[in-house]
Structure formats: structure tokens, C-alpha cells
């Protein structure tokens, strides 16, 4: 009897806990009532406004926010306030939010941003390793902490919503977004993606606002056939899978995110068996909402509906009828007022039912209510100093050192801290921008000192004894013979994202090979560190290298690299992707054609 009573007590406690968690102290029925009451009062124009998302850069005038009762703003890659510093971000948020709140019913904005490896658009924020590096740590607790720290930095600028985590499991490394996936293995992505969602959404501000996560891109973004994408390459191409294969291979990652209560999901640019995901009712409604039980709202990708065959008006009808709830119009292509006019016309002429509109608006308002956005739309600046804080940089440094995968070591690592001298060379050695990759400060990232952080060279300098002479050379050509016997050479890829990073050839740059040759010819032993968003063609070169490690795109905390180089920590990173002899063969390369298997790491 006692046991039963205890159990009942526990169940009651648990359900109270769950309802508090999901509805910011509102019970499910109270929440539904609030939302229904509000919808009851709304005009069609106001509903259309809620379904519209605009990049703040493309607002015609700020008063449009209140006039049209706009539901959401975003900052796309590089969409900064005029001065890129934390206080200006917070001021920008509050300015837009206050204006929006003047709408007839006082409905707040939900403001979204790509905080995909830290709050990466913000100057001075902590930049964590890109997901490929986090995948190499294979450490769900760490990924929880990384995501939580990211949300804390996002929350400090007022922003409500991050378009992260990316749950792709990329198979073709020629894809420019390979690094946004934790792994090519959907099982690893499932495990780490769940932790990321939990970490992001664990953050509740002092005023009770919870950060909203977004699992993306639904679905098949990393599985497109080469040649079917933009410019005849990979990005936004066609994914060919039977429904059964889709269910077994790709849906469990999303089911795990839904079970972890992810509030939003972004549709993917790619097609599934020739049909654009943005226009697929089977995917967005039948599978995602009905079969998988997703209760949050579906956001389209940037101008993603524009790619559906037909004209803009029919694109709108097709996508909304398919199950898109909010459209990332952006305003860069089609004007947002045109979008709103055509969405309304579609309802008036019966192409979209009012039930569908109400369902979309209900989902959006529920997310706003249950995450405290109605309760505390305006944010004060008590926590700005958390952005780029020592504590967060420490978490990032730990992530960096756990992400490094040592692939070859002929008795040179760890390096001694008491060498007389050490050469550090290569384009990537003192290059924060290259370390961070795309989605950093700007959409495509940048070169050099784009933000605040520690380069790999800085980290090495901090690690060695004061007597050690560090000789830095970009390409090794200016060095005398054997100024020391050892050189650390940092080579790799220049920053990119999306289709800009699609390449049909994954060879190392000639420049980089030349740098290594310059050093080898002068008698140095070389430790090669590769900064990259994917496996590259190294098979023909590694015989010349004495040690080799993949450092991926580590972000701002370069001293995590020296932590491993000098043996302060043992390397524990494991390959999250198999490394084929020919990198273009991707994750499906035959075992016999692999240089290193997934999971390898010394
Ligand atoms: C924006 C990005 C966006 C991209 C999509 C850019 O202009 O800044 O945030 O992802 O367009 O094509
Ligand atoms: C990308 C998304 C991103 C969005 C907003 C798109 O181009 O595909 O991942 O969230 O832009 O910047």
C-alpha cells in the first residue's frame, strides 16, 4: 500500500513538473484556453502577420512590426546591429520588441538567430567548435554544457530562439555543410542532438524566459545525390530514399529531438524523391506532425518556399498546406508585404483553409506563451558580461581538446615544453577566422582577427617555457635550415558555408603542400594540424608527415589545441566520419578504400 501511495505521489509530482516545464507555470488546459481566446480576437491580417518572419536588415520601416503584428524577426548570418557589440544587440532586440508590442493585441515577437557554435554573430562571444568537432568528442554531457552556455549568451542579448541544432548526418563530404553535422552516423547524431536540444532549452532567464531550440533541416539535407544540387553539386539537391529507409535511417534523430521537447523544426531546402521538402505535406504534416507527434511549429528556411515549382502565390499555398507554420520570408528576395498580401489572398480564395491558418497561429502562440515570451518580452542587461566570459571559454577549450583526433604519431607527440626553439608555420597558425569557419560574425565567416580569441599560435606560446624560442613563419620559405628540428604546421580550408563550400575536389591546397615541403626540405620533422570542415585528400601526403591531427573548426579557444600538443591532456577525440583514401567517396566508401575508419583516433 505504502509503495503504491509513494508511486502515485511521484506520478503527481512528475506531472506537475512536466506541466510547469512545458508551459511556464500554465497547465496545458490553461495554455490552450489563453491561445484560443487570443485567436478568437485576431483578424486574418493579424494571423498572417504572426506567420511572417523578416530579417531585420530588410524591414522597410520599423513601424511595420506593429502595423502588421509581425510574428518574428531574425538575424541571418551577418545581420548585425550597426555596431557589433553585445549592448547594441540587446538594444536592438528591445527596440524591435517594444515597437512590436504596440500591435492591437500586444503580441510579442519571437526573435531567432543562428547560434550554431556559440552566439556566433556577436563580436566577442565564445565560439565553440563546429558540430563536426563536437561529434569527435562524442560526449553528450559536454554538448549539453556547450549548448547551455550558448543559450546563456543568446539570452543575454534578449534573443529568444536559436536555429540549432543541425541534425544532418552528412554522407557526401563535397557538401559545404558537412561540418554542421555531428557525424555521418545517424545514431551519434541522435544521441548528441538530443543533448544539444536539452542544453539549449535548459536556460530560463531571471524573468522566466526560456530559450527555444530548432532542429534542422527536415529532412535529408546531408543525404542528397551528387550532381542534383545547386550549381550541379550537393547543397539543396535531391535525397532518394524509400519511406521505409527514411524512417529507419533519418527519422529517429528527429524523434529524439521531439521527445526532448524541441519547440521548433526547420524544413530543409533539399527534395525528397524529387519533391521539395518545403512543399511536402507527406513529410511536414503526415509524418512529422501526425505520426511523430510534433506539437511545436515548423519554420521554413530562408526563401525556402520560393524554390517550390510554381509562382510565388502558389508556393505560399503549397508550403502552408504542406504544414509550414511560419515563413522565413527574409525580405531579401520577395518583399514581405507581397508575401502577406498573397497569403491573405490564398485564404480568401479558398486555396488555404482558415483551419490551417488557425492551426499554424495556435502553434506559434503556444511556443510564445509557454516559453515566457508574453510574460517578459523586454530584457534588461544584467547579464551581458556572460558573453565571452572566462567560464564559457573554459568550456569551449575543453570541447576543443576533446575534439582533436590524432591520426598519426611517429614518436613526436606530445611535444616537450622545454625545446630550445620550435617553428610554427602555415596559413592557419595565427588565423582566428580560419579556426572558426563559416557562420562566424558573417554568414561565410572571415579571415584573421574577426573576433576575440586565442589562435593556435597564441596557445602554443602560452604553453611553452619562457626560454623556448617560437619562430613563426607563414610558409616556411623564410627559415634558415634547422633553426629547430621540429615544426608545427597548420594548414586547411578557408571559411565557407552552404553552397559556397560545395567542392567537387577535396584536395589540399597547393600552397599548403608547398609550406610543408619547404619545411621538409630544410630538414624539419613536421606535425601537421589540419583545420577543416571535413576529411580531405591526405593519403598521398601523410607518409611525409611525422604526426598528423585533425583539429576541425575549433573556434576561438586555440589553447585547447596546445593542451593536446604538449600532453597536458591525453587525446581522446575519435573520427565522427570515416576518412576515405579519396575523400570524395564520402561516408559510403568501401571499407577497403578507407584511410581511417569512423571511430579511429590515437
Ligand atoms: C543571409 C544568411 C542566409 C543566406 C541564405 C544570406 O544573405 O545573411 O543568413 O542564410 O543568405 O541564402
Ligand atoms: C540556412 C539555415 C539558417 C537560415 C537563417 C539558411 O540559409 O540554411 O540553416 O538557419 O539560413 O540564417
Amino acid at each position: 500500500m505504502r509503495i503504491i501511495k509513494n508511486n502515485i505521489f511521484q506520478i503527481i509530482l512528475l506531472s506537475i513538473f512536466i506541466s510547469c516545464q512545458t508551459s511556464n507555470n500554465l497547465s496545458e488546459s490553461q495554455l490552450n484556453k489563453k491561445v484560443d481566446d487570443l485567436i478568437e480576437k485576431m483578424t486574418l491580417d493579424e494571423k498572417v502577420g504572426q506567420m511572417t518572419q523578416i530579417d531585420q536588415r530588410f524591414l522597410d520601416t520599423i513601424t511595420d512590426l506593429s502595423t502588421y503584428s509581425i510574428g518574428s524577426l531574425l538575424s541571418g548570418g551577418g545581420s548585425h546591429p550597426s555596431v557589433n557589440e553585445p549592448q547594441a544587440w540587446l538594444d536592438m532586440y528591445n527596440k524591435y520588441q517594444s515597437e512590436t508590442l504596440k500591435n492591437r493585441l500586444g503580441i510579442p515577437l519571437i526573435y531567432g538567430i543562428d547560434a550554431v557554435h556559440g552566439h556566433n554573430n556577436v563580436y566577442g562571444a565564445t565560439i565553440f567548435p563546429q558540430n563536426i568537432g563536437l561529434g569527435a568528442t562524442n560526449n553528450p554531457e559536454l554538448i549539453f554544457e556547450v549548448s547551455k552556455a550558448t543559450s546563456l549568451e543568446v539570452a543575454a542579448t534578449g534573443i529568444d530562439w536559436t536555429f540549432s541544432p543541425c541534425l544532418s548526418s552528412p554522407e557526401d563530404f563535397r557538401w559545404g555543410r558537412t561540418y554542421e553535422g555531428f557525424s555521418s552516423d545517424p545514431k551519434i547524431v541522435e544521441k548528441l542532438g538530443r543533448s544539444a536540444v536539452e542544453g539549449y532549452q535548459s536556460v530560463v532567464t531571471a524573468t522566466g524566459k526560456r530559450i527555444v531550440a530548432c532542429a534542422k533541416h527536415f529532412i535529408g539535407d546531408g543525404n542528397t545525390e551528387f550532381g542534383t544540387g545547386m550549381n550541379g553539386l550537393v547543397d539543396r539537391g535531391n535525397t532518394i530514399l524509400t519511406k521505409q529507409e527514411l524512417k529507419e535511417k533519418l527519422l529517429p534523430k528527429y524523434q529524439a529531438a521531439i521527445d526532448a521537447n524541441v519547440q521548433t523544426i526547420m524544413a530543409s531546402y533539399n527534395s525528397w524523391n524529387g519533391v521539395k521538402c518545403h512543399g511536402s505535406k507527406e513529410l511536414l504534416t503526415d509524418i512529422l506532425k501526425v505520426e511523430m507527434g510534433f506539437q511545436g511549429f515548423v519554420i521554413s528556411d530562408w526563401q525556402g518556399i520560393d524554390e517550390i515549382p510554381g509562382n510565388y502565390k502558389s508556393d505560399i499555398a503549397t508550403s502552408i498546406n504542406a504544414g509550414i507554420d511560419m515563413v522565413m520570408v527574409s525580405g531579401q528576395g520577395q518583399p514581405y508585404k507581397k508575401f502577406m498580401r498573397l497569403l491573405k489572398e490564398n485564404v480568401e480564395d479558398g486555396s488555404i483553409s482558415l483551419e490551417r491558418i488557425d492551426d499554424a497561429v495556435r502553434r506559434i502562440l503556444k511556443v510564445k506563451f509557454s516559453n515566457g515570451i508574453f510574460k517578459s518580452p523586454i530584457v534588461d542587461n544584467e547579464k551581458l558580461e556572460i558573453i565571452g566570459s572566462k567560464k564559457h571559454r573554459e568550456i569551449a577549450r575543453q570541447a576543443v581538446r576533446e575534439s582533436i583526433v590524432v591520426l598519426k604519431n611517429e614518436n613526436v607527440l606530445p611535444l616537450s615544453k622545454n625545446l630550445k626553439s620550435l617553428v610554427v608555420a602555415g596559413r592557419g597558425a595565427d588565423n582566428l577566422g580560419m579556426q572558426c569557419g563559416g557562420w562566424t560574425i558573417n554568414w561565410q565567416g572571415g579571415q584573421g582577427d574577426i573576433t576575440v580569441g586565442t589562435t593556435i599560435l597564441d596557445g602554443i606560446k602560452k604553453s611553452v617555457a619562457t626560454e623556448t624560442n617560437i619562430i613563426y613563419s607563414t610558409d616556411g620559405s623564410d627559415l634558415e635550415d634547422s633553426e629547430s628540428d621540429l615544426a608545427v604546421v597548420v594548414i586547411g580550408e578557408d571559411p565557407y558555408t552552404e553552397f559556397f563550400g560545395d567542392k567537387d575536389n577535396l584536395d589540399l591546397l597547393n600552397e599548403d603542400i608547398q609550406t610543408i615541403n619547404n619545411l621538409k626540405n630544410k630538414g624539419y620533422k613536421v606535425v601537421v594540424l589540419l583545420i577543416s570542415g571535413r576529411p580531405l585528400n591526405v593519403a598521398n601526403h601523410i607518409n611525409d608527415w611525422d604526426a598528423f591531427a585533425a583539429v576541425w573548426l575549433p573556434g576561438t579557444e586555440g589553447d585547447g589545441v596546445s593542451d593536446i600538443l604538449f600532453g597536458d591532456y591525453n587525446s581522446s577525440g575519435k573520427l565522427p566520419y570515416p576518412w576515405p583514401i579519396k575523400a570524395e567517396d564520402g561516408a559510403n566508401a568501401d571499407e577497403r578504400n578507407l584511410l581511417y575508419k569512423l571511430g579511429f583516433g590515437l
Side-chain angles (χ1 to χ4, degrees):
M1 192 57 196
R2 190 190 223 125
I3 296 176
I4 296 175
K5 260 194 185 157
N6 266 342
N7 278 347
I8 293 175
F9 184 65
Q10 278 175 357
I11 291 168
I12 294 173
L13 266 187
L14 189 74
S15 40
I16 293 174
F17 176 71
I18 291 173
S19 63
C20 288
Q21 271 228 318
T22 53
S23 56
N24 206 257
N25 299 323
L26 293 173
S27 72
E28 190 65 21
S29 61
Q30 283 171 317
L31 174 65
N32 287 333
K33 182 156 188 323
K34 268 190 178 268
V35 170
D36 286 339
D37 287 351
L38 189 51
I39 290 182
E40 189 78 10
K41 296 186 194 125
M42 289 171 77
T43 63
L44 178 56
D45 287 304
E46 286 164 337
K47 292 174 184 175
V48 163
Q50 285 306 302
M51 294 169 71
T52 305
Q53 187 188 53
I54 307 165
D55 185 301
Q56 62 87 22
R57 283 172 293 187
F58 304 118
L59 266 179
D60 296 338
T61 145
I62 182 169
T63 50
D64 282 352
L65 291 170
S66 51
T67 311
Y68 298 96
S69 189
I70 297 298
S72 180
L73 283 180
L74 88 148
S75 273
S79 180
H80 315 136
S82 45
V83 189
N84 188 355
E85 49 124 27
Q87 182 67 52
W89 279 89
L90 179 66
D91 294 345
M92 174 171 83
Y93 175 87
N94 282 332
K95 179 183 77 179
Y96 289 140
Q97 189 61 281
S98 324
E99 178 57 42
T100 307
L101 288 167
K102 294 180 193 153
N103 68 66
R104 190 178 65 97
L105 296 166
I107 305 174
L109 280 175
I110 178 168
Y111 197 119
I113 197 161
D114 297 286
V116 296
H117 63 141
H119 198 2
N120 44 64
N121 282 288
V122 177
Y123 184 87
T126 312
I127 305 296
F128 295 90
Q130 301 271 8
N131 285 346
I132 192 170
L134 296 180
T137 74
N138 204 355
N139 180 346
E141 290 81 30
L142 177 62
I143 283 150
F144 180 95
E145 292 306 324
V146 165
S147 312
K148 182 177 166 195
T150 298
S151 270
L152 284 166
E153 298 202 10
V154 169
T157 55
I159 294 177
D160 308 290
W161 180 19
T162 173
F163 306 129
S164 191
C166 178
L167 298 182
S168 62
S169 38
E171 294 181 89
D172 191 329
F173 307 155
R174 292 168 289 193
W175 190 35
R177 308 190 78 162
T178 303
Y179 66 80
E180 294 186 58
F182 293 111
S183 170
S184 54
D185 178 355
K187 289 270 165 286
I188 298 180
V189 177
E190 179 182 333
K191 175 177 69 176
L192 302 182
R194 179 191 291 123
S195 291
V197 169
E198 288 170 350
Y200 287 129
Q201 296 191 161
S202 70
V203 169
V204 184
T205 65
T207 49
K209 198 157 83 162
R210 182 187 298 278
I211 297 300
V212 173
C214 179
K216 71 187 189 186
H217 310 81
F218 192 81
I219 196 167
D221 49 354
N223 317 87
T224 59
E225 304 274 312
F226 184 81
T228 62
M230 278 178 80
N231 313 316
L233 294 165
V234 192
D235 194 39
R236 309 188 182 189
N238 186 28
T239 292
I240 302 171
L241 286 173
T242 64
K243 187 167 172 187
Q244 197 51 34
E245 287 166 338
L246 184 89
K247 280 193 165 169
E248 284 165 13
K249 189 170 156 183
L250 301 182
L251 296 186
K253 302 178 287 185
Y254 281 88
Q255 192 64 62
I258 293 169
D259 295 346
N261 197 25
V262 73
Q263 302 279 296
T264 68
I265 291 181
M266 190 184 291
S268 191
Y269 282 125
N270 64 275
S271 304
W272 175 43
N273 298 335
V275 178
K276 283 279 175 194
C277 295
H278 276 82
S280 170
K281 178 163 179 294
E282 181 178 10
L283 280 176
L284 302 180
T285 299
D286 303 347
I287 296 179
L288 183 62
K289 292 180 178 172
V290 179
E291 286 177 34
M292 298 174 76
F294 175 58
Q295 304 277 328
F297 72 82
V298 177
I299 172 87
S300 63
D301 203 343
W302 184 279
Q303 291 175 237
I305 67 165
D306 309 23
E307 298 188 8
I308 297 171
N311 59 38
Y312 196 47
K313 185 172 173 191
S314 70
D315 291 348
I316 296 172
T318 307
S319 60
I320 302 297
N321 287 330
I324 298 277
D325 300 305
M326 181 188 277
V327 175
M328 193 186 287
V329 183
S330 93
Q332 187 177 38
Q334 300 284 356
Y336 58 88
K337 283 175 194 153
K338 177 175 171 194
F339 166 79
M340 293 191 285
R341 177 170 54 77
L342 294 177
L343 174 52
K344 192 176 173 194
E345 269 179 40
N346 271 313
V347 181
E348 286 167 344
D349 67 21
S351 306
I352 302 174
S353 72
L354 202 51
E355 289 71 54
R356 176 73 269 275
I357 298 291
D358 283 350
D359 172 50
V361 175
R362 185 173 293 114
R363 287 169 179 268
I364 294 165
L365 293 177
K366 260 183 135 168
V367 168
K368 290 184 179 180
F369 268 118
S370 60
N371 295 286
I373 304 174
F374 272 91
K375 212 173 112 212
S376 42
I378 301 296
V379 178
D380 48 38
N381 62 356
E382 56 198 58
K383 279 196 181 152
L384 276 178
E385 61 281 0
I386 207 164
I387 294 172
S389 64
K390 207 161 160 262
K391 188 171 167 213
H392 288 177
R393 290 184 187 275
E394 226 9 90
I395 298 171
R397 179 173 176 171
Q398 181 191 348
V400 173
R401 66 179 170 251
E402 290 191 25
S403 72
I404 291 168
V405 184
V406 178
L407 294 164
K408 178 178 180 183
N409 183 15
E410 302 279 308
N411 298 319
V412 280
L413 295 178
L415 303 176
S416 157
K417 292 185 177 181
N418 297 304
L419 296 168
K420 216 170 113 268
S421 63
L422 174 67
V423 166
V424 180
R427 285 180 311 121
D430 195 24
N431 190 336
L432 211 50
M434 210 171 138
Q435 262 171 238
C436 292
W439 297 113
T440 316
I441 306 299
N442 283 307
W443 182 37
Q444 297 297 323
Q447 295 281 353
D449 293 334
I450 56 171
T451 187
V452 181
T454 306
T455 66
I456 294 175
L457 175 67
D458 294 336
I460 291 175
K461 284 182 179 163
K462 283 202 272 170
S463 290
V464 294
T466 38
E467 300 79 51
T468 306
N469 183 21
I470 299 287
I471 304 157
Y472 170 59
S473 161
T474 42
D475 65 1
S477 60
D478 50 343
L479 297 170
E480 306 282 317
D481 282 5
S482 64
E483 286 186 65
S484 81
D485 353 312
L486 256 183
V488 174
V489 196
V490 191
I491 62 167
E493 292 189 292
D494 291 321
Y496 57 76
T497 191
E498 300 193 37
F499 46 92
F500 282 82
D502 275 7
K503 285 178 197 155
D504 57 5
N505 175 310
L506 297 177
D507 287 347
L508 296 179
L509 292 184
N510 285 331
E511 244 181 296
D512 286 342
I513 297 168
Q514 191 54 52
T515 301
I516 297 173
N517 288 343
N518 290 343
L519 292 157
K520 288 302 287 188
N521 293 341
K522 290 177 183 172
Y524 291 91
K525 283 190 173 178
V526 293
V527 175
V528 176
L529 301 180
L530 180 67
I531 294 178
S532 73
R534 49 191 157 192
L536 298 179
N537 286 324
V538 296
N540 291 333
H541 309 284
I542 41 172
N543 283 342
D544 300 337
W545 304 348
D546 301 280
F548 168 42
V551 303
W552 315 114
L553 298 162
T556 49
E557 304 319 298
D559 30 20
V561 177
S562 30
D563 285 341
I564 298 297
L565 274 183
F566 295 96
D568 290 323
Y569 291 83
N570 291 328
S571 64
S572 61
K574 303 283 179 237
L575 285 182
Y577 292 81
W579 199 304
I581 296 171
K582 277 181 69 228
E584 296 84 2
D585 290 347
N588 299 320
D590 193 282
E591 286 249 331
R592 283 165 305 174
N593 296 327
L594 291 183
L595 191 58
Y596 309 109
K597 284 188 194 165
L598 185 148
F600 180 78
L602 298 174

